[in-house]
Amino acid sequence: MKHLFPYFRKYRADSLLSPLFKVLEACFDLAVPLIVADMIDRGIAAGDTRYIVVRFLLLLAMALFGFGCTVAAQFFAARASAGICALMRHDMIEKIGSLSRAEIDRAGASTLITRMTSDVNQVQNGLNMFLRLFIRSPFIVFGSMILAFTIDASLALLFVGAIVLLFFIVFGVMKLSAPGYRRVQQNLDGVTEATRETLTGVRVIRAFSREKKQNEDFQKTDRRLLDAQLRVGRIAAVMNPLTYVTVNAVIVLVLWFGAAGTDAGLLLSGSIIALINYISQILVELVKLANLITLLGRSATGMRRIGQVLDTESSLTYGEESPDPDAEIAVRFCDVSFRYGGGGADAVSHLSFTVRRGQTVGIIGGTGSGKSTLVNLILRYYDATDGEIELLGKKIGTLSREALRKSVTVVSQRPRLFRGTVRSNLLLADPTADDDALWRALSLAQAEEFVRDKNGGLDAPVEQDGANFSGGQRQRLTIARALLAGAKILILDDSFSALDYATDAALRRGLSTLPEETTVFLISQRAGSLTAADLILVLEDGAIVGAGRHGELLENCAVYREIYESQTNGDDPTGNEIEPSEENRAGDEKAPDEENRADDEKGPGGESQVDGEAEA
């Protein structure tokens, strides 16, 4: 509850007004049996029609006032619960954004999605009902018992016994069902994860005709959730029958003993009706209270899971320093090693290299060689397990979060676009950029032509994840967004994979026009894309097995030579070390024939073979 109470401060008034109106409504409800008893004993018994009409009008007025109180109470309860959970979601997304990749990996994306959606919704429903009933139901239960004593003390003792027994039933069922609700939410995480994996890998599933197997796996996961829900549902289902049996037994006893009292002249008929009305009110409110407690049990489970997210502390701590814009050394790795999860084998080991300001650095290696891990360390998504990393003249751990993010921009292997427009996606990098700056970035990224061809240009719609663009178009838009940020260090993590060779070459020529102080990291599977780099790092099994320029590596690095020859059939068009001149800084000048040019401008309906492979 320590996480929940602070949210009530902003909605303190709503949280107080809702139960206040409910108590006012409860007062009207408690007065009804007394007025009905008075109508029977004085109006009906005496045949006084006027008295009956006056009491009926009084009941009608009380009903109208009670209805108004109910509407007001539900309005304030809904506003408070929805507002509190909105703040909670905001804090959760802010907390998740502050966590390192290590904490997010441990929690799992599917679990975080469930906690942001299902768990918060459970808390919202519980809060709504809590504000409406947590005072009203006990108020009516104990109020009915007290008023029953004013009518007949001996019969009222039956109320006391019933209330005690009902509380044992309600809280006993709640205690038994609480662990079951935790298991339900855990199994819901599994269903969310299975759904997410299926949606993400739907093309792979179809490509290998694994739909049947995937459906079977999902049914097993879904069945576990169903079984958990049925188990806890059976326990919760016991509550209503037990409460009804208890209350109806009390009604029978009231009629039995009350009839004897009436025959003896000790009780009036109206008093018996009032007592039955009060026990009926107790029944209704205890059923409501039982359902509320069941709902609160589910909400408490959800709140604990939300609290675990809010209590998670990032393993990354940031300093207050800013990078030195005039530093000669852009990036330096000093004997850096890193392993995921803090155990197992190192993903990268003993990396040592120095990159000067303005250099273009190529990184190449086979799948699983550690290229993306190296990028994650430069971005400080993870902290190195061993060794030290310097960025723009400062130790990376001493930089502030804002300074680090402004200094380094990355285009990841899989382009990420958001629902909106081309403009809104580009402005994520620089909200103050004008149209001229946007078009310059698009032109440099070789994206200007197809954006101008779109209806709306910069305001052309972009569907979620850029589904209305081809793979090559998505990559160029994300590159344009990165260029617009104007960071000192630009990392292109295999972000040319969906481009044809002509567009690749044109884009690399465009990158050569970047300011001289911009340091570029090119991570690529194509050796030809890196031939003009000032420094090429060759990775294998997480270690640097070669470092130098293209010509040097062809002579001295067997791994690089094997990669290059496998892609060029052993034909080295240079034969010597390539000097990084302005002309060839962008890379391979061998433009392919027109017939070999991939048509990645066709969009999703006519993607090139390269695009299709990248998507698969």
Side-chain angles (χ1 to χ4, degrees):
M1 299 302 292
K2 67 177 182 179
H3 297 102
L4 190 57
F5 284 132
Y7 293 107
F8 279 100
R9 294 173 185 170
K10 186 172 181 180
Y11 293 92
R12 186 183 293 111
D14 294 312
S15 301
L16 293 175
L17 287 173
S18 178
L20 181 62
F21 277 106
K22 274 296 183 181
V23 167
L24 187 59
E25 178 206 1
C27 292
F28 292 136
D29 288 344
L30 289 174
V32 168
L34 297 177
I35 296 174
V36 171
D38 191 48
M39 288 175 61
I40 293 171
D41 294 337
R42 297 182 60 180
I44 296 176
D48 189 344
T49 304
R50 182 176 177 277
Y51 192 85
I52 295 172
V53 171
V54 171
R55 289 295 180 270
F56 173 77
L57 293 176
L58 177 61
L59 290 174
L60 184 60
M62 291 172 60
L64 292 175
F65 279 112
F67 175 75
C69 292
T70 300
V71 171
Q74 294 193 5
F75 169 78
F76 290 119
R79 188 163 70 176
S81 59
I84 287 171
C85 288
L87 294 175
M88 194 179 299
R89 288 190 187 96
H90 179 273
D91 287 349
M92 286 185 70
I93 200 68
E94 186 175 356
K95 169 61 74 173
I96 292 170
S98 69
L99 298 178
S100 71
R101 291 283 291 273
E103 283 82 36
I104 294 176
D105 291 343
R106 281 197 295 270
S110 59
T111 298
L112 294 175
I113 291 171
T114 303
R115 298 186 190 202
M116 283 282 295
T117 53
S118 176
D119 289 339
V120 174
N121 288 337
Q122 295 284 6
V123 172
Q124 181 173 335
N125 292 335
L127 280 176
N128 196 330
M129 295 297 292
F130 177 76
L131 291 174
R132 289 158 52 187
L133 297 177
F134 85 102
I135 287 182
R136 183 188 190 281
S137 292
F139 186 84
I140 286 186
V141 169
F142 290 105
S144 297
M145 183 181 67
I146 293 170
L147 290 175
F149 273 101
T150 65
I151 297 173
D152 187 276
S154 59
L155 291 178
L157 292 175
L158 295 173
F159 285 53
V160 176
I163 290 172
V164 172
L165 180 59
L166 288 169
F167 268 100
F168 274 110
I169 292 172
V170 169
F171 285 100
V173 171
M174 183 186 71
K175 184 175 181 61
L176 292 174
S177 61
Y181 287 120
R182 286 196 291 272
R183 285 192 292 271
V184 167
Q185 292 303 110
Q186 290 168 359
N187 283 289
L188 183 60
D189 289 344
V191 171
T192 304
E193 182 179 4
T195 304
R196 183 172 177 269
E197 287 182 349
T198 301
L199 291 174
T200 303
V202 64
R203 294 189 179 186
V204 177
I205 294 169
R206 290 175 178 173
F208 293 97
S209 299
R210 302 294 289 175
E211 293 93 340
K212 183 177 180 181
K213 179 64 167 59
Q214 198 70 15
N215 286 337
E216 291 174 355
D217 292 342
F218 182 80
Q219 286 174 6
K220 292 178 182 177
T221 304
D222 193 39
R223 184 69 195 183
R224 285 194 292 270
L225 174 61
L226 176 62
D227 291 342
Q229 289 175 324
L230 289 176
R231 282 194 295 270
V232 73
R234 292 188 188 102
I235 297 173
V238 175
M239 186 179 299
N240 281 355
L242 289 178
T243 53
Y244 274 101
V245 167
T246 303
V247 171
N248 282 310
V250 173
I251 291 176
V252 171
L253 293 175
V254 168
L255 289 174
W256 187 1
F257 292 113
T262 302
D263 289 340
L266 300 176
L267 282 173
L268 297 175
S269 300
S271 299
I272 302 298
I273 298 299
L275 289 172
I276 293 175
N277 281 338
Y278 280 130
I279 195 63
S280 298
Q281 285 190 4
I282 291 174
L283 169 63
V284 171
E285 294 306 320
L286 283 176
V287 169
K288 289 181 182 179
L289 190 61
N291 292 330
L292 171 63
I293 291 173
T294 301
L295 185 57
L296 289 179
R298 301 176 68 178
S299 300
T301 299
M303 195 64 232
R304 279 193 293 269
R305 287 160 53 86
I306 293 169
Q308 290 171 359
V309 176
L310 296 176
D311 283 338
T312 302
E313 295 296 332
S314 176
S315 58
L316 299 180
T317 56
Y318 293 90
E320 300 295 333
E321 295 188 22
S322 298
D324 181 3
D326 299 323
E328 287 299 320
I329 303 301
V331 176
R332 173 179 285 156
F333 273 51
C334 301
D335 197 31
V336 172
S337 298
F338 173 76
R339 66 186 68 93
Y340 288 99
D346 287 342
V348 293
S349 57
H350 305 292
L351 301 183
S352 295
F353 61 88
T354 299
V355 178
R356 296 188 176 278
R357 184 179 61 172
Q359 283 189 316
T360 296
V361 181
I363 301 175
I364 194 168
T367 302
S369 59
K371 301 186 298 296
S372 294
T373 301
L374 188 151
V375 170
N376 288 335
L377 292 174
I378 296 175
L379 291 163
R380 210 186 171 208
Y381 288 160
Y382 302 94
D383 268 337
T385 307
D386 299 299
E388 189 174 276
I389 301 174
E390 293 183 10
L391 192 74
L392 295 173
K394 300 292 179 65
K395 293 181 180 180
I396 197 168
T398 64
L399 297 177
S400 68
R401 183 186 181 90
E402 294 74 17
L404 178 62
R405 296 292 169 250
K406 289 179 180 179
S407 300
V408 186
T409 302
V410 64
V411 181
S412 60
Q413 295 176 352
R414 185 168 183 264
R416 299 284 183 181
L417 295 176
F418 300 90
R419 182 185 297 275
T421 63
V422 173
R423 184 193 304 277
S424 66
N425 274 273
L426 295 178
L427 291 179
L428 288 173
D430 182 6
T432 63
D434 56 19
D435 285 5
D436 290 340
L438 299 181
W439 284 118
R440 281 196 301 272
L442 289 169
S443 176
L444 195 60
Q446 309 303 306
E448 180 180 6
E449 182 179 352
F450 72 80
V451 172
R452 289 193 184 276
D453 290 340
K454 292 279 185 181
N455 291 331
L458 289 173
D459 295 313
V462 176
E463 294 181 7
Q464 184 176 350
D465 213 20
N468 56 330
F469 290 87
S470 72
Q473 290 172 341
R474 290 198 295 271
Q475 283 193 339
R476 281 177 280 171
L477 286 175
T478 54
I479 291 170
R481 182 172 61 197
L483 294 174
L484 191 65
K488 298 292 184 182
I489 299 173
L490 173 63
I491 302 175
L492 302 174
D493 185 2
D494 204 14
S495 50
F496 296 172
S497 59
L499 304 182
D500 59 86
Y501 286 99
T503 306
D504 184 328
L507 180 52
R508 285 185 285 114
R509 283 194 296 270
L511 293 178
S512 67
T513 64
L514 291 173
E516 292 184 359
E517 65 271 14
T518 302
T519 304
V520 180
F521 283 82
L522 293 174
I523 295 89
S524 179
Q525 301 286 354
R526 300 175 182 173
S529 299
L530 308 178
T531 55
D534 300 292
L535 173 66
I536 301 175
L537 302 176
V538 185
L539 296 181
E540 185 177 40
D541 295 331
I544 296 177
V545 295
R549 293 179 178 174
H550 172 69
E552 296 172 347
L553 292 172
L554 283 178
E555 296 178 4
N556 304 322
C557 183
V559 174
Y560 181 78
R561 185 166 56 250
E562 180 182 352
I563 294 173
Y564 187 81
E565 289 178 353
S566 68
Q567 297 175 358
T568 60
N569 297 319
D571 181 20
D572 180 9
T574 60
N576 298 303
E577 175 181 321
I578 293 180
E579 294 295 330
S581 63
E582 188 68 26
E583 178 183 0
N584 65 16
R585 179 180 173 89
D588 188 7
E589 295 298 324
K590 286 186 63 181
D593 296 335
E594 195 66 31
E595 63 181 358
N596 294 326
R597 183 171 301 177
D599 182 16
D600 67 319
E601 306 297 334
K602 294 179 181 178
E607 289 184 346
S608 67
Q609 184 178 2
V610 176
D611 286 346
E613 291 172 354
E615 288 298 309

